Amino acid sequence: MTLKNCNLFSHFDASLEKIGNKPILILDDGTTYDYEAIQNKSAQIASLLINLKVSPGERISIQIEKSPESLFLYLACLRAGLIYHPLNPGYTENELEFFISNAEPTVIICDPKNFSIFNKLAKKNNINHVFTLGADGQGTLITASASEKKVFQTYNTPKDHVAALLYSSGTTGRPKGIMLTHHNLISNTQTLVDTWQFTEQDVLLHALPIFHVHGLFVAIGCALSSGASMYWLSKFDETKILRHLSQCSVLMGVPTYYTRLLATENITHKNCNNIRIFISGSAPLLEETFHNFATKTGHEILERYGMTETNMNTSNPIKGKRKPGTVGPPLPGIELRVMDDEGHCLENDTIGNLQVKGPNVFKGYWKMPEKTAEDFTKDGYFKTGDKAKIDRDGYVSIVGRSKDMIISGGLNVYPKEVELILDDIDGVMESAVIGVEHQDLGEGVVAIVIESASIVLEEKDIIKLCKQQLAGYKIPKKIIFAKALPRNSMAKVQKNILRENYKNLFI
Ligand code: MCA
């Protein structure tokens, strides 16, 4: 598809303008929005932002709950050429301090309940505009844009123009801004639409948050690029999912969605009859879940693999064998290789460092050119940091992560970030944070804490202090007090021993 304008919104336009007034968004209460409504509302918000003299390439930082208006805001940023910077609504003021000072937005959009926090942050960072948008779709952003024109000329976007800035923490605990261009997103979205055979006949059950790649680019991208409709749920809710399954053709989710649906005992062949594919990603899908789900519903979950820096890299096939425990072969146009630590390519079924190359790979880390250069090889492959092997059929298995990263309910948690907060607590000498198998979340965050002799701490006190500094999903699900941490001869904490010692904690 040759686009006259390399703007992701123009890519959506090319499909949506053909589908007339078919509902594109369908809410749980039956409210619907067609293309004209989406077009008008995103045009009004885009006009408001541009009339504030916000220029293409400037950032719009957004911490709001999911609503139809949150989608219109995202599309408005795309069509105005502004950089969309979404923030997890769970982030505390402590976490937001860094994101706002690093992203340097021109405009902030926040939930009305957090207006005072963001007003303070805006003053501190010389940001002149803070608008509100609540989960109910109301707020100053809506009132201020209501009088704007309902037409907007989409920004004529250069190929490497940044569409979105998403942050993914790093081993040091300092988050890194990931610059994704319109071209990255258009190429990956089109690849997924072709691979997963999305058409305007599809109805995607969208229950994912839209502050991350899965819900924002993979789910919305496939739907709007193919003219498919979306059942738009504000968050994952087993009951609502089960209610809508019969009207939908595709569900995308993290493994926790599938284990929770299985736990309801109400997911059956019958209510999954209309679904053509169940897609899972963002965390490893247990083979047990794959088989249990197939037995209960007759569907083999299609597992795929991606990361914020690359969007989707691999997928099990629509037609052909879906191998549980693998994330399928590379997507068309994307090159993967497994390398040893010396940079030699490894043969099939040998575990090594996974590297990826393709139009899906991000532009670089925001304001970190050295770190960007470090994470790419001389021949242009991105070092994912994941350990993997590729079998003789080309199927990739992710077998580990070199960064000790924890994936909890599909969200990445970096131990260092949590350890820094724990070690700052009076009475904590040192800590080690690990991920432990968790029936519901895949992995649960666990902290082993060494107390100082002088102060006796209780688990609830530590949790309370963590909640003031960290988003809920990062908070340890269990605090274990120990006398010492196991260390190797280099005095490095042996987290593998801790993981072994506490592997049955949540089972
Ligand atoms: C919520 N809580 C969590 C998580 N989510 N704890 C650990 N891990 C989590 N993921 C905590 C809250 O802080 C709260 O704690 C309590 O659980 C209840 O909160 P609630 O929001 O009601 O939780 P939930 O509805 O049960 O949410 C669990 C969830 C949700 C449904 C798994 O986390 C979710 O939708 N995850 C999807 C995330 C996602 O979109 N990942 C894609 C990233 P308290 O009660 O103490 O306050 S993109 C990606 O990974 C790559 C690129 C890819 O390939 O897709």
Side-chain angles (χ1 to χ4, degrees):
M1 170 183 285
T2 47
L3 271 177
K4 34 188 193 304
N5 177 354
C6 192
N7 186 298
L8 181 58
F9 184 82
S10 305
H11 181 69
F12 295 154
D13 224 12
S15 303
L16 297 177
E17 63 188 7
K18 297 177 199 151
I19 60 169
N21 61 357
K22 177 186 93 158
I24 292 177
L25 276 193
I26 307 159
L27 307 190
D28 191 38
D29 66 4
T31 310
T32 62
Y33 295 86
D34 63 8
Y35 177 52
E36 187 188 1
I38 291 174
Q39 168 80 264
N40 292 346
K41 292 178 183 292
S42 60
Q44 288 183 305
I45 297 171
S47 301
L48 169 72
L49 295 172
I50 292 302
N51 291 341
L52 294 173
K53 304 287 176 261
V54 187
S55 309
E58 294 183 3
R59 277 72 58 206
I60 312 292
S61 294
I62 295 152
Q63 190 194 45
I64 56 177
E65 297 295 338
K66 183 179 173 184
S67 65
E69 289 72 16
S70 58
L71 175 66
F72 307 150
L73 170 58
Y74 165 56
L75 297 176
C77 292
L78 290 178
R79 54 190 312 188
L82 306 175
I83 297 178
Y84 185 78
H85 169 217
L87 291 158
N88 184 327
Y91 284 147
T92 63
E93 184 171 353
N94 167 59
E95 291 157 312
L96 294 168
E97 284 268 9
F98 170 77
F99 291 123
I100 297 300
S101 63
N102 187 266
E104 296 179 286
T106 309
V107 180
I108 292 173
I109 320 284
C110 69
D111 192 289
K113 67 177 182 294
N114 295 325
F115 182 73
S116 57
I117 292 175
F118 281 98
N119 220 13
K120 200 165 64 173
L121 285 172
K123 286 190 172 39
K124 194 172 169 185
N125 293 278
N126 301 318
I127 297 162
N128 300 324
H129 306 289
V130 180
F131 291 98
T132 62
L133 177 58
D136 60 358
Q138 301 304 310
T140 57
L141 179 75
I142 304 305
T143 44
S145 57
S147 55
E148 294 290 344
K149 298 191 305 300
K150 293 181 178 176
V151 282
F152 185 84
Q153 179 61 44
T154 295
Y155 174 64
N156 197 2
T157 311
K159 186 169 171 183
D160 68 346
H161 189 73
V162 177
L165 181 64
L166 273 67
Y167 282 78
S168 153
S169 293
T171 42
T172 59
R174 260 280 160 261
K176 300 188 300 267
I178 294 159
M179 298 187 283
L180 293 162
T181 66
H182 285 262
H183 182 63
N184 291 147
L185 300 176
I186 290 171
S187 71
N188 205 240
T189 300
Q190 198 51 51
T191 300
L192 294 177
V193 165
D194 297 342
T195 304
W196 293 340
Q197 298 171 6
F198 264 84
T199 70
E200 68 276 8
Q201 309 304 324
D202 275 308
V203 181
L204 170 69
L205 188 39
H206 193 307
L208 288 156
I210 60 168
F211 52 80
H212 267 305
V213 166
H214 198 160
L216 182 63
F217 302 136
V218 181
I220 291 173
C222 283
L224 297 187
S225 298
S226 59
S229 304
M230 289 186 275
Y231 259 91
W232 190 253
L233 300 187
S234 58
K235 64 180 293 195
F236 176 81
D237 173 307
E238 298 90 317
T239 312
K240 290 180 182 172
I241 295 272
L242 291 167
R243 186 186 317 141
H244 293 305
L245 273 178
S246 56
Q247 297 113 310
C248 298
S249 62
V250 182
L251 172 66
M252 289 184 190
V254 297
T256 301
Y257 291 17
Y258 295 107
T259 52
R260 287 190 183 180
L261 287 169
L262 283 168
T264 64
E265 297 285 330
N266 295 327
I267 189 148
T268 61
H269 284 245
K270 188 165 176 293
N271 59 18
C272 294
N273 218 8
N274 197 46
I275 296 279
R276 66 180 182 87
I277 34 169
F278 288 97
I279 300 174
S280 180
S282 311
L285 181 76
L286 296 180
E287 291 191 40
E288 178 196 1
T289 308
F290 177 93
H291 292 302
N292 290 347
F293 199 83
T295 306
K296 280 272 188 183
T297 67
H299 284 269
E300 291 190 335
I301 295 172
L302 183 154
E303 186 172 7
R304 64 11 165 227
Y305 160 74
M307 56 193 301
T308 307
E309 289 89 339
T310 63
N311 276 244
M312 298 306 105
N313 295 318
T314 74
S315 174
N316 271 282
I318 287 280
K319 293 188 175 59
K321 186 160 182 44
R322 292 178 197 167
K323 293 186 184 179
T326 81
V327 289
L331 287 162
I334 294 173
E335 296 168 72
L336 293 183
R337 65 187 189 190
V338 175
M339 310 294 277
D340 66 15
D341 292 342
E342 285 68 47
H344 305 117
C345 208
L346 294 169
E347 55 196 39
N348 285 338
D349 293 321
T350 311
I351 294 174
N353 306 309
L354 186 65
Q355 297 181 356
V356 58
K357 186 176 188 178
N360 58 313
V361 178
F362 74 132
K363 183 174 185 178
Y365 294 115
W366 175 251
K367 301 197 284 191
M368 299 172 82
E370 305 77 27
K371 176 64 185 156
T372 301
E374 200 183 296
D375 279 8
F376 281 85
T377 64
K378 288 186 176 44
D379 56 348
Y381 279 78
F382 172 61
K383 303 171 191 169
T384 64
D386 286 324
K387 301 287 185 189
K389 61 182 180 181
I390 303 177
D391 73 14
R392 62 177 51 75
D393 301 324
Y395 282 62
V396 178
S397 299
I398 305 298
V399 295
R401 305 170 208 117
S402 50
K403 298 173 243 170
D404 269 343
M405 184 176 77
I406 301 162
I407 306 182
S408 171
L411 291 174
N412 296 349
V413 180
Y414 289 82
K416 191 68 190 161
E417 190 178 5
V418 184
E419 288 160 358
L420 288 171
I421 298 296
L422 288 167
D423 295 349
D424 218 19
I425 295 172
D426 274 348
V428 173
M429 288 278 283
E430 62 173 329
S431 63
V433 170
I434 58 173
V436 171
E437 188 183 337
H438 189 283
Q439 296 291 322
D440 178 36
L441 298 166
E443 287 186 296
V445 178
V446 173
I448 294 88
V449 166
I450 314 302
E451 287 177 285
S452 70
S454 53
I455 300 177
V456 178
L457 290 166
E458 299 220 356
E459 179 176 28
K460 63 181 175 41
D461 303 326
I462 295 178
I463 297 290
K464 190 160 167 264
L465 289 165
C466 285
K467 285 196 169 185
Q468 291 165 7
Q469 310 270 352
L470 292 170
Y473 71 94
K474 300 176 188 173
I475 308 289
K477 298 299 179 201
K478 183 75 187 147
I479 304 273
I480 293 162
F481 294 100
K483 291 283 171 253
L485 294 173
R487 280 186 156 79
N488 64 16
S489 55
M490 308 286 283
K492 189 173 178 317
V493 174
Q494 292 173 294
K495 290 196 173 181
N496 54 327
I497 292 178
L498 294 172
R499 279 188 283 268
E500 180 59 27
N501 292 348
Y502 299 107
K503 65 184 179 184
N504 298 322
L505 200 59
F506 299 120
I507 292 177

